Amino acid sequence: MRFKTPRGTRDFLPEEMMERRYAERVIREVFESYGYREVATPTFETLELITAKSGEEIRRHIYHFKDKSNRDLALRPELTAPAMRLYVNMLQFEPKPVKLYYFGNCFRYERPQSGRYREFWQAGIELIGSPYPEAEAEVIAVALDALEKLGLMSYELAIGHIGVLRAILAESGVSGEEQDKVMSAIDKGEGVKELLDEIGVAGESREKLLRTLKLAGERERVIKEAAELLENSEKALTELEKLRELLNILEGYGIKNYSLDLGIARGLDYYTGMVFEIYAPKLGAEKQICGGGAYSLAEVFGGEAIATSGFAFGFDRLMLALKKEKVRFAPASNAACLVVPTSEAVLQEAIKVSRALRKHNACELELTRKKLGKALRYADQRGFPYVVIVGDEELSRGYVVLRDMHSGEQKEVKISKLEELKLK
Ligand code: AMP
């Protein structure tokens, strides 16, 4: 192989693209069924936008470059910041809520492994303009609905609440920026205690935070233990109450099967309240297929602060998870028929025939001048259900021959009727 794809990137063959497009279609349909509308943003953005509030972990992995005019640019590592930039610049004064979705490639300079790539795809939604738990609940419901429609059987939902964690820190005077750092350390699972020492969170607050982070598992128990632990922290209790309300609303969607995990912090700086992650346990180390939550980002891009929630699916991991479960994708969308001219003399007629057939069917014209026998063998190999044979004699009577490749049966069809013909 003389040229390989760059490390961490992939080619997709036709079969795989068909599966990916099928899954993409299902996801889009679900997003649109809840009223989300698609937006698209550039593949690269200014470095400033991408680094504004993306979290330390992502900042370390940015593909950053200078263009020929010395501008600092970056390939997008995710799509929430670009979508919110677009909202602030162009949709800020639309009636609320503004519901957006996106599907696009993202880039992170990470160490490639199974389920971790340098170019990968995200599909996600942003619900802008409602601070209420019903908005947060809808966001979670949309994610689960998509998984269900895709047919994924085995996945786990974990819900947390960064608002509770931030409230504990705020009560001991920790600034927003320092809170971001703590969230980042929690997400990475390292250096939390050292960081608390550094920023001077000691005594009861420190203990409260560390113990809250460990609260995970069955809903009732976690809420009860958290309420006891945070008894004297008014702000944290208010946040906990919001979480409780959210969980009640989720019941209305029939969503009961999840674990609560107050140790979820997520790697991005902009989360403020509810956060959630979905895992496909069969994927091993890189099992997180979805991440999201409630956040505040518009003000960072010069807009008015506004409550927002959203999530992003890691589309590639989702595909891996579906394949692990051997989920059946829609059948190959091969063309329904191959139109075979029996000689060069009838080529023009064969083109007309194929154009008429395309009214209702996907159809291919034989382009390599195969003799009829070879063309039929090829059609068989490629799985065309029908072949239309365009021959001199039938043409002169205004007919072509339609061959059912499955049964081998042939019949004549009037050319003037081809536009109405529906194969498959
Ligand atoms: P994040 O934007 O970090 O919250 O990521 C959202 C989702 O994107 C994750 O849950 C993963 O499924 C997926 N993801 C993140 N980074 C990668 C990567 N390097 N390769 C493949 N998928 C990724």
Side-chain angles (χ1 to χ4, degrees), residues 108 110 115-117 120 122 266 288-291 312 314 317:
R108 292 184 196 174
E110 296 185 288
R116 185 177 287 280
Y117 312 100
F120 61 98
Q122 286 193 345
R266 314 260 322 117
Q288 194 195 309
I289 54 173
C290 181
R317 291 188 194 170

Side-chain angles (χ1 to χ4, degrees), residues 181-249:
K181 283 192 192 151
V182 179
M183 295 306 133
S184 189
I186 295 171
D187 183 59
K188 267 190 286 180
E190 55 188 51
V192 180
K193 288 182 182 162
E194 292 77 354
L195 190 59
L196 292 179
D197 290 341
E198 205 178 293
I199 57 183
V201 180
E204 203 190 328
S205 311
R206 178 194 166 96
E207 200 49 29
K208 246 186 226 170
L209 182 75
L210 294 176
R211 283 178 59 191
T212 305
L213 291 180
K214 294 223 169 73
L215 292 177
E218 194 266 323
R219 169 186 164 178
E220 297 299 331
R221 180 179 58 78
V222 171
I223 293 273
K224 186 168 159 282
E225 288 179 10
E228 283 165 12
L229 184 63
L230 303 171
E231 202 179 11
N232 306 317
S233 313
E234 201 185 319
K235 271 190 179 164
L237 278 181
T238 310
E239 294 297 316
L240 190 66
E241 188 48 39
K242 288 186 196 162
L243 174 60
R244 202 202 304 256
E245 255 183 84
L246 162 70
L247 303 181
N248 280 342
I249 298 172

Side-chain angles (χ1 to χ4, degrees), residues 13 54 88 90 154 159 164 219 229 299 353 365 414 419:
L13 294 175
S54 61
V88 167
M90 262 125 45
S154 141
I159 302 176
V164 175
R219 169 186 164 178
L229 184 63
E299 70 277 21
V353 164
L365 179 67
K414 226 181 166 124
E419 284 202 356

Side-chain angles (χ1 to χ4, degrees), residues 10 58 77-80 102 106-111 113 115-122 266-268 270-271 277-278 286-292 311-318:
R10 293 152 296 158
I58 286 193
E78 53 107 41
L79 278 150
T80 294
Y102 56 78
C106 301
F107 306 83
R108 292 184 196 174
Y109 195 79
E110 296 185 288
R111 212 145 69 89
Q113 61 191 83
R116 185 177 287 280
Y117 312 100
R118 289 185 175 172
E119 183 189 26
F120 61 98
W121 274 255
Q122 286 193 345
R266 314 260 322 117
L268 301 158
Y270 44 69
Y271 288 106
E277 295 182 339
I278 304 176
E286 302 301 326
K287 64 178 183 175
Q288 194 195 309
I289 54 173
C290 181
F311 69 78
F313 278 125
F315 184 67
D316 308 84
R317 291 188 194 170
L318 201 48

Side-chain angles (χ1 to χ4, degrees), residues 34 36 99 127 133-145 148 246-257:
Y34 286 79
Y36 291 81
K99 297 169 125 186
L127 198 177
E134 52 269 44
E136 300 180 344
E138 174 173 297
V139 164
I140 296 178
V142 171
L144 295 193
D145 202 355
E148 194 172 305
L246 162 70
L247 303 181
N248 280 342
I249 298 172
L250 280 181
E251 268 199 66
Y253 283 100
I255 300 171
K256 292 185 200 140
N257 202 1

Side-chain angles (χ1 to χ4, degrees), residues 371-392:
K371 294 261 180 318
L372 183 59
K374 268 200 174 166
L376 291 177
R377 267 202 301 284
Y378 166 79
D380 195 38
Q381 271 172 356
R382 284 274 316 274
F384 284 94
Y386 294 96
V387 168
V388 170
I389 304 164
V390 183
D392 262 336

